[in-house]
Amino acid sequence: SWAELQRELDDKERLVAHNEQEQRRRAALTKRVCVDDEPDAAKTHAYFDVEIGRRLGAKPRLTRGRLIVQLFDDIMPRTIHRFAEVLEADGADATYRSSAVGAIYKGDYCVAGVLNVRHTSEEGSSSGAHPRRAREAAYPQASSEANWELPHLNPGILSLVDPRTQRFQITFRGMDELDGKHAVFGKLIYGFDLLKLISELGSATGEPQQPVKFIGGAMIPRGTHPREFLKKLDKPDDSTERVKVMRFD
């Protein structure tokens, strides 16, 4: 009958509209993890200073560089707030500073985020000499905040290994096998050459060929173009260290 035909047409129109809306939504999610032509200074950014090599001898051979990332605080505000606290912590607080990249799976991803704190005696004095592994900081809001449809589309995607721990991973390639299992919270915007070098230091078992660690890091003030923080990575005095500094500006 005419009424049944009209219902079928209405149902088809609703389905087409729904599919178009879903395609737009998925395209917006994909755009979030794509490399931007020009980073937006109004977004939330942070940086990690990375050192590669062993400090052996009077003049150790080291490579230093900087990774600059955008953090998705509009999606995971409480998680990013906690991440910033851990990144910028100092003294006896749990911090990402001086933490090693614990595993590097060549061509796939690396795992970072093992916290170090200084051992403090019962009297409250810090020994200052023997850092110990901190009780792993949790991101308790991550599971509820995460958009689990954000894809690990490109190299440089940051996602939590497990919301119950502080560890996070950085991809070296698109890894759709991680989608829906690990909460994506950021992406790399500068430092892809350094990321490639880190990948080359990996292995099938994840054991790094050389030590890779974070020696610093902080949040970038909102409104400051992250490119400005590439210019602040200065080469140290060659009289004490033979250091190759990877520059991107």
Short mmCIF file of all heavy atoms in Angstrom, two decimals, residues 156-214:
data_model
loop_
_atom_site.label_atom_id
_atom_site.label_comp_id
_atom_site.label_asym_id
_atom_site.label_seq_id
_atom_site.Cartn_x
_atom_site.Cartn_y
_atom_site.Cartn_z
N GLY A 156 53.37 8.43 16.35
CA GLY A 156 53.32 9.52 17.31
C GLY A 156 52.05 9.63 18.11
O GLY A 156 51.81 10.64 18.76
N ILE A 157 51.21 8.59 18.11
CA ILE A 157 49.99 8.61 18.92
C ILE A 157 50.33 8.20 20.34
O ILE A 157 51.01 7.20 20.56
CB ILE A 157 48.91 7.68 18.33
CG1 ILE A 157 48.53 8.13 16.92
CG2 ILE A 157 47.68 7.65 19.24
CD1 ILE A 157 47.96 9.53 16.84
N LEU A 158 49.86 8.98 21.32
CA LEU A 158 50.07 8.67 22.73
C LEU A 158 48.81 8.03 23.30
O LEU A 158 47.71 8.55 23.13
CB LEU A 158 50.38 9.94 23.54
CG LEU A 158 51.82 10.49 23.50
CD1 LEU A 158 52.15 11.03 22.11
CD2 LEU A 158 51.99 11.58 24.55
N SER A 159 48.98 6.90 23.98
CA SER A 159 47.85 6.26 24.63
C SER A 159 48.32 5.57 25.90
O SER A 159 49.50 5.24 26.05
CB SER A 159 47.17 5.25 23.70
OG SER A 159 48.04 4.20 23.34
N LEU A 160 47.39 5.39 26.83
CA LEU A 160 47.72 4.75 28.10
C LEU A 160 47.86 3.25 27.90
O LEU A 160 47.03 2.63 27.24
CB LEU A 160 46.64 5.04 29.13
CG LEU A 160 46.43 6.50 29.53
CD1 LEU A 160 45.27 6.62 30.50
CD2 LEU A 160 47.69 7.09 30.15
N VAL A 161 48.91 2.68 28.49
CA VAL A 161 49.05 1.23 28.45
C VAL A 161 47.91 0.58 29.21
O VAL A 161 47.31 -0.38 28.76
CB VAL A 161 50.41 0.81 29.02
CG1 VAL A 161 50.50 -0.71 29.16
CG2 VAL A 161 51.54 1.33 28.15
N ASP A 162 47.62 1.14 30.39
CA ASP A 162 46.56 0.63 31.24
C ASP A 162 46.13 1.79 32.14
O ASP A 162 46.99 2.39 32.80
CB ASP A 162 47.06 -0.54 32.09
CG ASP A 162 45.97 -1.22 32.89
OD1 ASP A 162 45.02 -0.53 33.32
OD2 ASP A 162 46.07 -2.44 33.10
N PRO A 163 44.84 2.14 32.19
CA PRO A 163 44.41 3.26 33.04
C PRO A 163 44.78 3.10 34.51
O PRO A 163 44.79 4.09 35.25
CB PRO A 163 42.89 3.28 32.84
CG PRO A 163 42.67 2.65 31.51
CD PRO A 163 43.72 1.58 31.41
N ARG A 164 45.07 1.88 34.95
CA ARG A 164 45.41 1.67 36.35
C ARG A 164 46.87 2.01 36.65
O ARG A 164 47.27 2.05 37.82
CB ARG A 164 45.12 0.22 36.75
CG ARG A 164 43.65 -0.14 36.73
CD ARG A 164 43.44 -1.61 36.94
NE ARG A 164 44.01 -2.39 35.84
CZ ARG A 164 43.98 -3.71 35.76
NH1 ARG A 164 43.40 -4.41 36.71
NH2 ARG A 164 44.52 -4.34 34.73
N THR A 165 47.68 2.22 35.62
CA THR A 165 49.09 2.54 35.82
C THR A 165 49.42 3.86 35.14
O THR A 165 48.61 4.43 34.41
CB THR A 165 50.00 1.44 35.25
OG1 THR A 165 50.06 1.57 33.82
CG2 THR A 165 49.49 0.05 35.61
N GLN A 166 50.65 4.34 35.37
CA GLN A 166 51.07 5.61 34.80
C GLN A 166 51.76 5.42 33.45
O GLN A 166 52.11 6.40 32.80
CB GLN A 166 52.02 6.34 35.77
CG GLN A 166 53.49 5.95 35.66
CD GLN A 166 53.77 4.55 36.16
OE1 GLN A 166 52.96 3.97 36.89
NE2 GLN A 166 54.91 4.00 35.77
N ARG A 167 51.95 4.21 33.00
CA ARG A 167 52.69 3.98 31.76
C ARG A 167 51.88 4.41 30.54
O ARG A 167 50.66 4.26 30.51
CB ARG A 167 53.08 2.50 31.63
CG ARG A 167 54.13 2.07 32.64
CD ARG A 167 54.47 0.60 32.46
NE ARG A 167 55.55 0.19 33.33
CZ ARG A 167 55.39 -0.20 34.59
NH1 ARG A 167 54.17 -0.23 35.11
NH2 ARG A 167 56.43 -0.54 35.32
N PHE A 168 52.60 4.93 29.56
CA PHE A 168 51.95 5.29 28.29
C PHE A 168 52.85 4.84 27.15
O PHE A 168 54.03 4.56 27.32
CB PHE A 168 51.66 6.79 28.22
CG PHE A 168 52.87 7.68 28.24
CD1 PHE A 168 53.43 8.16 27.06
CD2 PHE A 168 53.46 8.06 29.44
CE1 PHE A 168 54.54 8.98 27.07
CE2 PHE A 168 54.57 8.89 29.47
CZ PHE A 168 55.12 9.35 28.28
N GLN A 169 52.25 4.76 25.97
CA GLN A 169 52.99 4.30 24.81
C GLN A 169 52.92 5.34 23.69
O GLN A 169 51.98 6.13 23.62
CB GLN A 169 52.46 2.95 24.32
CG GLN A 169 50.98 2.92 24.07
CD GLN A 169 50.40 1.52 24.19
OE1 GLN A 169 51.05 0.57 24.60
NE2 GLN A 169 49.14 1.38 23.82
N ILE A 170 53.94 5.32 22.84
CA ILE A 170 54.00 6.20 21.67
C ILE A 170 54.20 5.31 20.46
O ILE A 170 55.15 4.51 20.41
CB ILE A 170 55.15 7.21 21.78
CG1 ILE A 170 55.11 7.96 23.11
CG2 ILE A 170 55.10 8.20 20.61
CD1 ILE A 170 56.29 8.89 23.33
N THR A 171 53.33 5.43 19.49
CA THR A 171 53.39 4.54 18.33
C THR A 171 54.44 5.01 17.33
O THR A 171 54.71 6.20 17.19
CB THR A 171 52.03 4.45 17.62
OG1 THR A 171 51.66 5.76 17.16
CG2 THR A 171 50.96 3.94 18.56
N PHE A 172 55.03 4.05 16.61
CA PHE A 172 55.95 4.34 15.52
C PHE A 172 55.29 4.21 14.16
O PHE A 172 55.89 4.54 13.14
CB PHE A 172 57.15 3.37 15.58
CG PHE A 172 57.94 3.46 16.86
CD1 PHE A 172 58.44 2.30 17.44
CD2 PHE A 172 58.18 4.66 17.48
CE1 PHE A 172 59.18 2.35 18.61
CE2 PHE A 172 58.92 4.73 18.66
CZ PHE A 172 59.42 3.57 19.22
N ARG A 173 54.08 3.70 14.14
CA ARG A 173 53.32 3.51 12.89
C ARG A 173 51.85 3.50 13.25
O ARG A 173 51.47 3.50 14.42
CB ARG A 173 53.70 2.20 12.20
CG ARG A 173 53.39 0.96 13.03
CD ARG A 173 53.62 -0.32 12.26
NE ARG A 173 53.40 -1.53 13.05
CZ ARG A 173 52.22 -2.11 13.24
NH1 ARG A 173 51.13 -1.59 12.68
NH2 ARG A 173 52.11 -3.22 13.96
N GLY A 174 50.99 3.49 12.23
CA GLY A 174 49.58 3.28 12.49
C GLY A 174 49.37 1.89 13.05
O GLY A 174 49.86 0.91 12.48
N MET A 175 48.64 1.80 14.18
CA MET A 175 48.46 0.50 14.85
C MET A 175 46.99 0.31 15.21
O MET A 175 46.58 0.52 16.36
CB MET A 175 49.35 0.40 16.10
CG MET A 175 50.83 0.46 15.81
SD MET A 175 51.84 -0.14 17.19
CE MET A 175 51.40 -1.88 17.20
N ASP A 176 46.21 -0.09 14.22
CA ASP A 176 44.79 -0.27 14.49
C ASP A 176 44.53 -1.44 15.43
O ASP A 176 43.44 -1.55 16.00
CB ASP A 176 44.00 -0.44 13.18
CG ASP A 176 44.52 -1.60 12.33
OD1 ASP A 176 45.46 -2.31 12.76
OD2 ASP A 176 44.01 -1.78 11.21
N GLU A 177 45.54 -2.30 15.64
CA GLU A 177 45.35 -3.40 16.58
C GLU A 177 45.26 -2.91 18.02
O GLU A 177 44.84 -3.66 18.91
CB GLU A 177 46.49 -4.41 16.45
CG GLU A 177 47.89 -3.85 16.64
CD GLU A 177 48.56 -3.50 15.33
OE1 GLU A 177 47.95 -2.76 14.54
OE2 GLU A 177 49.69 -3.98 15.10
N LEU A 178 45.63 -1.66 18.28
CA LEU A 178 45.51 -1.09 19.62
C LEU A 178 44.19 -0.35 19.82
O LEU A 178 43.85 -0.01 20.96
CB LEU A 178 46.67 -0.11 19.88
CG LEU A 178 48.09 -0.66 19.78
CD1 LEU A 178 49.10 0.44 20.08
CD2 LEU A 178 48.29 -1.85 20.72
N ASP A 179 43.46 -0.11 18.76
CA ASP A 179 42.22 0.67 18.83
C ASP A 179 41.20 -0.01 19.74
O ASP A 179 41.00 -1.24 19.68
CB ASP A 179 41.62 0.85 17.44
CG ASP A 179 42.46 1.74 16.55
OD1 ASP A 179 43.42 2.35 17.06
OD2 ASP A 179 42.16 1.84 15.34
N GLY A 180 40.57 0.79 20.57
CA GLY A 180 39.55 0.28 21.47
C GLY A 180 40.08 -0.40 22.70
O GLY A 180 39.30 -0.77 23.59
N LYS A 181 41.41 -0.58 22.79
CA LYS A 181 42.02 -1.25 23.93
C LYS A 181 42.82 -0.29 24.80
O LYS A 181 43.00 -0.55 25.99
CB LYS A 181 42.94 -2.38 23.45
CG LYS A 181 42.24 -3.43 22.60
CD LYS A 181 43.24 -4.43 22.05
CE LYS A 181 42.57 -5.44 21.12
NZ LYS A 181 43.56 -6.37 20.51
N HIS A 182 43.31 0.79 24.21
CA HIS A 182 44.16 1.75 24.92
C HIS A 182 43.62 3.16 24.66
O HIS A 182 43.36 3.53 23.51
CB HIS A 182 45.60 1.64 24.46
CG HIS A 182 46.19 0.28 24.66
ND1 HIS A 182 46.71 -0.15 25.86
CD2 HIS A 182 46.30 -0.78 23.81
CE1 HIS A 182 47.14 -1.38 25.74
NE2 HIS A 182 46.89 -1.80 24.51
N ALA A 183 43.47 3.93 25.74
CA ALA A 183 42.88 5.26 25.65
C ALA A 183 43.86 6.25 25.04
O ALA A 183 44.91 6.54 25.61
CB ALA A 183 42.46 5.74 27.05
N VAL A 184 43.53 6.79 23.86
CA VAL A 184 44.35 7.79 23.19
C VAL A 184 44.16 9.14 23.87
O VAL A 184 43.03 9.60 24.05
CB VAL A 184 43.98 7.88 21.70
CG1 VAL A 184 44.71 9.04 21.03
CG2 VAL A 184 44.29 6.56 20.99
N PHE A 185 45.29 9.79 24.23
CA PHE A 185 45.17 11.08 24.93
C PHE A 185 46.03 12.17 24.32
O PHE A 185 46.06 13.29 24.82
CB PHE A 185 45.52 10.92 26.41
CG PHE A 185 46.95 10.57 26.70
CD1 PHE A 185 47.90 11.57 26.91
CD2 PHE A 185 47.37 9.25 26.75
CE1 PHE A 185 49.22 11.25 27.18
CE2 PHE A 185 48.68 8.93 27.02
CZ PHE A 185 49.61 9.94 27.24
N GLY A 186 46.75 11.89 23.22
CA GLY A 186 47.56 12.93 22.62
C GLY A 186 48.24 12.46 21.35
O GLY A 186 48.10 11.30 20.93
N LYS A 187 48.99 13.38 20.73
CA LYS A 187 49.71 13.06 19.50
C LYS A 187 50.97 13.92 19.41
O LYS A 187 51.03 15.03 19.94
CB LYS A 187 48.83 13.30 18.27
CG LYS A 187 48.43 14.77 18.05
CD LYS A 187 47.55 14.93 16.82
CE LYS A 187 47.13 16.38 16.63
NZ LYS A 187 46.25 16.55 15.45
N LEU A 188 51.97 13.38 18.74
CA LEU A 188 53.21 14.09 18.51
C LEU A 188 53.03 15.12 17.41
O LEU A 188 52.38 14.85 16.40
CB LEU A 188 54.30 13.09 18.10
CG LEU A 188 55.72 13.62 17.93
CD1 LEU A 188 56.31 14.03 19.27
CD2 LEU A 188 56.59 12.56 17.26
N ILE A 189 53.60 16.32 17.62
CA ILE A 189 53.53 17.34 16.57
C ILE A 189 54.91 17.76 16.08
O ILE A 189 55.06 18.19 14.94
CB ILE A 189 52.73 18.57 17.02
CG1 ILE A 189 53.34 19.21 18.26
CG2 ILE A 189 51.27 18.21 17.27
CD1 ILE A 189 52.71 20.55 18.60
N TYR A 190 55.92 17.65 16.93
CA TYR A 190 57.31 17.89 16.52
C TYR A 190 58.19 16.81 17.12
O TYR A 190 57.99 16.40 18.26
CB TYR A 190 57.81 19.25 17.02
CG TYR A 190 57.21 20.45 16.33
CD1 TYR A 190 56.48 21.40 17.05
CD2 TYR A 190 57.39 20.66 14.96
CE1 TYR A 190 55.93 22.50 16.43
CE2 TYR A 190 56.84 21.77 14.33
CZ TYR A 190 56.12 22.68 15.07
OH TYR A 190 55.58 23.77 14.44
N GLY A 191 59.19 16.38 16.32
CA GLY A 191 60.15 15.40 16.82
C GLY A 191 60.04 14.04 16.15
O GLY A 191 60.45 13.03 16.72
N PHE A 192 59.52 14.00 14.92
CA PHE A 192 59.35 12.71 14.26
C PHE A 192 60.69 12.06 13.90
O PHE A 192 60.79 10.83 13.87
CB PHE A 192 58.47 12.87 13.01
CG PHE A 192 57.02 13.07 13.34
CD1 PHE A 192 56.48 14.34 13.43
CD2 PHE A 192 56.19 11.98 13.58
CE1 PHE A 192 55.14 14.53 13.75
CE2 PHE A 192 54.86 12.15 13.89
CZ PHE A 192 54.33 13.43 13.98
N ASP A 193 61.71 12.88 13.61
CA ASP A 193 63.03 12.31 13.36
C ASP A 193 63.58 11.62 14.61
O ASP A 193 64.18 10.55 14.53
CB ASP A 193 64.00 13.40 12.90
CG ASP A 193 63.72 13.87 11.49
OD1 ASP A 193 62.94 13.20 10.80
OD2 ASP A 193 64.27 14.90 11.07
N LEU A 194 63.37 12.24 15.76
CA LEU A 194 63.79 11.64 17.02
C LEU A 194 63.00 10.37 17.30
O LEU A 194 63.55 9.37 17.76
CB LEU A 194 63.61 12.65 18.16
CG LEU A 194 63.95 12.18 19.57
CD1 LEU A 194 65.40 11.71 19.64
CD2 LEU A 194 63.70 13.29 20.57
N LEU A 195 61.71 10.40 17.02
CA LEU A 195 60.88 9.22 17.22
C LEU A 195 61.36 8.06 16.34
O LEU A 195 61.42 6.91 16.80
CB LEU A 195 59.41 9.55 16.90
CG LEU A 195 58.40 8.45 17.24
CD1 LEU A 195 58.26 8.31 18.74
CD2 LEU A 195 57.04 8.77 16.60
N LYS A 196 61.75 8.36 15.12
CA LYS A 196 62.28 7.33 14.22
C LYS A 196 63.57 6.75 14.78
O LYS A 196 63.78 5.52 14.72
CB LYS A 196 62.51 7.91 12.83
CG LYS A 196 63.00 6.90 11.81
CD LYS A 196 63.17 7.52 10.44
CE LYS A 196 63.67 6.50 9.43
NZ LYS A 196 63.86 7.10 8.08
N LEU A 197 64.44 7.60 15.33
CA LEU A 197 65.68 7.11 15.92
C LEU A 197 65.40 6.20 17.11
O LEU A 197 66.05 5.15 17.26
CB LEU A 197 66.54 8.30 16.36
CG LEU A 197 67.84 7.96 17.09
CD1 LEU A 197 68.74 7.09 16.23
CD2 LEU A 197 68.57 9.25 17.49
N ILE A 198 64.44 6.57 17.94
CA ILE A 198 64.08 5.72 19.08
C ILE A 198 63.59 4.36 18.59
O ILE A 198 63.96 3.32 19.15
CB ILE A 198 63.01 6.42 19.94
CG1 ILE A 198 63.58 7.69 20.59
CG2 ILE A 198 62.48 5.47 21.02
CD1 ILE A 198 62.55 8.53 21.30
N SER A 199 62.79 4.37 17.54
CA SER A 199 62.29 3.11 16.99
C SER A 199 63.44 2.21 16.53
O SER A 199 63.43 0.99 16.75
CB SER A 199 61.35 3.37 15.82
OG SER A 199 60.94 2.17 15.19
N GLU A 200 64.46 2.80 15.92
CA GLU A 200 65.58 2.03 15.40
C GLU A 200 66.41 1.40 16.53
O GLU A 200 67.17 0.46 16.28
CB GLU A 200 66.46 2.92 14.53
CG GLU A 200 65.78 3.34 13.23
CD GLU A 200 66.57 4.39 12.46
OE1 GLU A 200 67.57 4.90 13.04
OE2 GLU A 200 66.21 4.71 11.32
N LEU A 201 66.25 1.91 17.74
CA LEU A 201 66.98 1.36 18.88
C LEU A 201 66.22 0.23 19.57
O LEU A 201 66.65 -0.27 20.60
CB LEU A 201 67.26 2.47 19.91
CG LEU A 201 68.19 3.59 19.43
CD1 LEU A 201 68.26 4.70 20.47
CD2 LEU A 201 69.58 3.05 19.15
N GLY A 202 65.11 -0.16 19.00
CA GLY A 202 64.30 -1.20 19.60
C GLY A 202 64.67 -2.60 19.14
O GLY A 202 65.63 -2.81 18.41
N SER A 203 63.86 -3.56 19.57
CA SER A 203 64.07 -4.96 19.22
C SER A 203 62.73 -5.67 19.24
O SER A 203 61.71 -5.12 19.68
CB SER A 203 65.03 -5.62 20.21
OG SER A 203 64.46 -5.65 21.51
N ALA A 204 62.73 -6.90 18.78
CA ALA A 204 61.50 -7.69 18.75
C ALA A 204 61.00 -7.99 20.16
O ALA A 204 59.80 -8.14 20.38
CB ALA A 204 61.72 -8.98 17.98
N THR A 205 61.91 -8.08 21.11
CA THR A 205 61.54 -8.38 22.50
C THR A 205 61.22 -7.13 23.31
O THR A 205 60.75 -7.22 24.43
CB THR A 205 62.68 -9.12 23.21
OG1 THR A 205 63.85 -8.29 23.26
CG2 THR A 205 63.01 -10.41 22.48
N GLY A 206 61.53 -5.94 22.75
CA GLY A 206 61.31 -4.70 23.46
C GLY A 206 62.52 -4.20 24.22
O GLY A 206 62.50 -3.09 24.77
N GLU A 207 63.61 -4.97 24.25
CA GLU A 207 64.82 -4.56 24.95
C GLU A 207 65.54 -3.47 24.16
O GLU A 207 65.96 -3.70 23.02
CB GLU A 207 65.76 -5.75 25.15
CG GLU A 207 67.00 -5.44 25.94
CD GLU A 207 66.72 -5.16 27.40
OE1 GLU A 207 65.66 -5.62 27.89
OE2 GLU A 207 67.55 -4.51 28.04
N PRO A 208 65.71 -2.25 24.72
CA PRO A 208 66.40 -1.18 23.99
C PRO A 208 67.87 -1.51 23.75
O PRO A 208 68.54 -2.09 24.62
CB PRO A 208 66.25 0.03 24.91
CG PRO A 208 65.10 -0.30 25.82
CD PRO A 208 65.16 -1.79 26.01
N GLN A 209 68.39 -1.14 22.60
CA GLN A 209 69.80 -1.34 22.30
C GLN A 209 70.67 -0.34 23.05
O GLN A 209 71.84 -0.62 23.32
CB GLN A 209 70.04 -1.20 20.79
CG GLN A 209 69.29 -2.22 19.95
CD GLN A 209 69.49 -1.99 18.47
OE1 GLN A 209 70.56 -1.54 18.04
NE2 GLN A 209 68.47 -2.28 17.67
N GLN A 210 70.13 0.82 23.35
CA GLN A 210 70.81 1.83 24.15
C GLN A 210 69.80 2.42 25.12
O GLN A 210 68.59 2.41 24.86
CB GLN A 210 71.39 2.95 23.28
CG GLN A 210 72.53 2.56 22.38
CD GLN A 210 73.16 3.78 21.75
OE1 GLN A 210 73.53 4.74 22.41
NE2 GLN A 210 73.27 3.74 20.42
N PRO A 211 70.26 2.98 26.24
CA PRO A 211 69.33 3.63 27.16
C PRO A 211 68.67 4.84 26.51
O PRO A 211 69.33 5.65 25.85
CB PRO A 211 70.24 4.06 28.33
CG PRO A 211 71.44 3.20 28.23
CD PRO A 211 71.64 2.93 26.77
N VAL A 212 67.38 4.95 26.68
CA VAL A 212 66.61 6.10 26.24
C VAL A 212 65.81 6.60 27.43
O VAL A 212 65.05 5.82 28.02
CB VAL A 212 65.65 5.75 25.07
CG1 VAL A 212 64.86 6.98 24.64
CG2 VAL A 212 66.43 5.17 23.90
N LYS A 213 66.01 7.83 27.81
CA LYS A 213 65.31 8.33 28.99
C LYS A 213 64.88 9.78 28.81
O LYS A 213 65.42 10.50 27.97
CB LYS A 213 66.19 8.20 30.23
CG LYS A 213 67.45 9.06 30.20
CD LYS A 213 68.27 8.84 31.47
CE LYS A 213 69.52 9.70 31.48
NZ LYS A 213 70.31 9.52 32.72
N PHE A 214 63.88 10.15 29.59
CA PHE A 214 63.46 11.54 29.66
C PHE A 214 64.33 12.24 30.69
O PHE A 214 64.48 11.75 31.82
CB PHE A 214 61.99 11.65 30.07
CG PHE A 214 61.03 11.05 29.08
CD1 PHE A 214 59.87 10.43 29.52
CD2 PHE A 214 61.28 11.08 27.73
CE1 PHE A 214 58.98 9.86 28.61
CE2 PHE A 214 60.40 10.53 26.81
CZ PHE A 214 59.25 9.91 27.25
#
